[in-house]
Amino acid sequence: MKSAYIHIPFCEHICHYCDFNKFFYHSQPVDEYLNSLEKEMAHSMEASGYPELTTIFIGGGTPTSLSAKQLERLLDGIITILKPSEQLLEFTVEANPDDLEAEKLTILKNAGVSRLSFGVQTFEDDLLKKIGRVHKQKDVLNSFDRARAIGFDNISLDLMFGLPDQTIDQLAASLDTALSLAAEHYSIYSLIVEPKTVFYNLAKKGRLHLPPQDREAEMYELVMKKMNEADIHQYEISNFAKKGFESKHNLTYWSNEEYFGFGAGAHGYINGIRTVNVGPVKQYIDRIDSSGFPYKETHRVTKNEQIEEELFLGLRKITGVCKTRFFKKYGQSLDELFPDVLHSLEQKGLIKNTNTNVCLTHTGKLLGNEVFQSFLGEL
């Protein structure tokens, strides 16, 4: 049982914070890309013996920037080649609120897409403009209502905090608006300024005014408080859901399970090998044409690396790392492998180490990176 991530690297515009592999839709050979994507999926599935998939996730870029005809073609290809069965637990598509008309929503619904993830980021129009988004609050509300009317009953809203000049009151207002929609899932991340982004260049020039670190921590505290009060439980550091609506696809990553990565710039993890596809669309198409596979990098993960990743990823989950599962997977005890690290983190109040699992404390959630990095290189 495996998952599949499919990357659509096209956008109508480029957001100031985004470092994902993406290109302007109108300057790219989109139809040729879809041809190559189908070939990659077919070659990979054949080479792997057509495993049964548990989840499919189409991300980007902006998958819904495709025309209705291209979107329908993409979904037809996925269904024909990946052959999702009745065992498919979740089929997610990322969507921008400003390009989600009824025709595209209907195409998604008819193809069996069961979950939508809206890239909202904030409900404050002035902040949306500052971060390079072109939609407004009204577009989100209209698209959300439209999706509900067409029958989507599993919708996730992506929000951000720590944005330029963002205040606590603005974040509170955005959270209140988001919760008023009664979505099933919320992903709420702090802004990270990544290289090769507009924000990175502004920061280098001293022109990016972000909230101080203590204010950002206060914002995260507010996020957790409001979600808890709304009975939207936190199941991962940045993710909150109604019971039963946790993202099954993303849990694949955090549980360190294997998945296909299809498309330009996509990452995969199959049969113990991590792969990275080439990013530029033309290079991707050329490599598919020449060899059927677009890998830029491949790396067989050692056992020690798997163990480190198990902790780095698993501790993001609120339930943490299950000791029984860890032992079954690696044949070694977590307490025996990392006695000093576990003791140190527990003394600092960053983790709880019980007979059954290791998980973050409330303080540990605020200092997650410190916890994760403690395990790196220990073996």
Side-chain angles (χ1 to χ4, degrees):
M1 304 284 276
K2 291 179 171 62
S3 294
Y5 172 79
I6 299 158
H7 192 70
I8 304 300
F10 308 119
C11 292
E12 293 283 353
H13 59 277
I14 305 300
C15 303
H16 297 345
Y17 54 85
C18 181
D19 72 327
F20 292 118
N21 192 50
K22 75 283 181 188
F23 306 93
F24 283 112
Y25 170 87
H26 295 292
S27 63
Q28 296 296 322
V30 180
D31 291 310
E32 291 89 336
Y33 178 80
L34 295 178
N35 283 337
S36 297
L37 185 59
E38 289 179 358
K39 291 176 184 176
E40 184 195 3
M41 289 191 292
H43 292 151
S44 298
M45 293 299 283
E46 183 178 1
S48 300
Y50 292 95
E52 197 168 87
L53 299 176
T54 54
T55 68
I56 297 173
F57 192 109
I58 307 176
T62 312
T64 51
S65 67
L66 299 177
S67 69
K69 184 177 179 181
Q70 289 166 338
L71 186 61
E72 191 165 29
R73 183 216 164 150
L74 168 68
L75 293 164
D76 285 345
I78 289 169
I79 292 165
T80 301
I81 297 164
L82 302 188
K83 297 179 170 58
S85 69
E86 292 181 0
Q87 300 303 312
L88 189 72
L89 301 176
E90 186 180 87
F91 190 170
T92 303
V93 174
E94 287 183 345
N96 259 11
D98 55 327
D99 55 19
L100 206 55
E101 65 266 22
E103 182 184 10
K104 290 183 183 178
L105 282 165
T106 301
I107 289 169
L108 294 170
K109 187 67 177 173
N110 289 344
V113 172
S114 60
R115 183 174 181 270
L116 297 177
S117 179
F118 281 158
V120 178
Q121 316 318 345
T122 176
F123 283 94
E124 302 292 311
D125 287 348
D126 60 331
L127 282 178
L128 285 168
K129 187 174 181 180
K130 282 183 182 178
I131 65 176
R133 303 289 287 184
V134 297
H135 74 263
K136 295 186 176 180
Q137 179 184 126
K138 63 179 178 61
D139 298 316
V140 180
L141 302 180
N142 290 338
S143 292
F144 191 93
D145 287 346
R146 204 175 293 129
R148 286 291 201 222
I150 285 172
F152 284 98
D153 57 7
N154 188 355
I155 300 177
S156 178
L157 302 180
D158 285 2
L159 298 170
M160 298 176 75
F161 62 91
L163 299 174
D165 301 312
Q166 187 180 28
T167 66
I168 290 284
D169 288 343
Q170 285 176 319
L171 176 61
S174 262
L175 292 170
D176 288 341
T177 302
L179 288 167
S180 73
L181 293 176
E184 286 68 37
H185 187 280
Y186 299 86
S187 292
I188 310 176
Y189 296 89
S190 64
L191 172 67
I192 298 175
V193 178
E194 301 282 6
K196 300 179 182 178
T197 63
V198 172
F199 276 170
Y200 182 78
N201 293 329
L202 288 174
K204 283 174 63 177
K205 297 174 184 175
R207 293 169 51 196
L208 187 66
H209 308 295
L210 301 178
Q213 196 168 7
D214 59 342
R215 179 76 52 76
E216 189 174 312
E218 189 181 346
M219 289 178 168
Y220 183 44
E221 294 268 18
L222 177 66
V223 168
M224 291 189 286
K225 179 175 180 288
K226 281 192 171 287
M227 289 291 130
N228 183 58
E229 289 173 349
D231 201 26
I232 309 293
H233 82 106
Q234 185 176 18
Y235 70 99
E236 191 266 351
I237 282 185
S238 302
N239 285 271
F240 307 79
K242 294 179 180 178
K243 291 290 184 183
F245 288 94
E246 300 83 0
S247 170
K248 296 176 179 63
H249 182 85
N250 287 337
L251 282 167
T252 298
Y253 302 146
W254 302 320
S255 298
N256 205 20
E257 301 294 345
E258 295 193 339
Y259 56 92
F260 292 97
F262 300 126
H267 292 233
Y269 181 33
I270 294 293
N271 298 326
I273 298 173
R274 290 201 180 275
T275 59
V276 181
N277 289 354
V278 294
V281 171
K282 182 66 167 62
Q283 286 185 32
Y284 173 81
I285 292 171
D286 289 345
R287 291 211 187 184
I288 292 292
D289 286 344
S290 62
S291 70
F293 296 97
Y295 303 143
K296 178 178 73 172
E297 299 171 21
T298 61
H299 172 67
R300 179 166 290 282
V301 183
T302 67
K303 183 179 179 181
N304 284 353
E305 288 171 334
Q306 288 178 43
I307 289 171
E308 288 182 348
E309 290 173 357
E310 189 83 15
L311 292 162
F312 191 95
L313 296 166
L315 282 169
R316 294 188 61 89
K317 297 183 292 184
I318 301 306
T319 55
V321 177
C322 172
K323 290 184 175 180
T324 302
R325 181 178 180 273
F326 184 93
F327 186 81
K328 285 181 178 177
K329 202 168 179 181
Y330 301 107
Q332 292 175 279
S333 161
L334 188 55
D335 290 286
E336 290 174 355
L337 283 172
F338 300 101
D340 295 338
V341 176
L342 293 173
H343 178 72
S344 174
L345 292 173
E346 196 168 24
Q347 289 295 107
K348 292 177 182 177
L350 299 179
I351 64 167
K352 286 190 288 187
N353 184 12
T354 70
N355 291 332
T356 58
N357 69 325
V358 177
C359 62
L360 297 178
T361 61
H362 182 80
T363 304
K365 294 177 192 175
L366 299 172
L367 299 171
N369 285 337
E370 180 180 333
V371 178
F372 306 148
Q373 290 168 9
S374 299
F375 295 94
L376 298 182
E378 282 297 305
L379 301 178

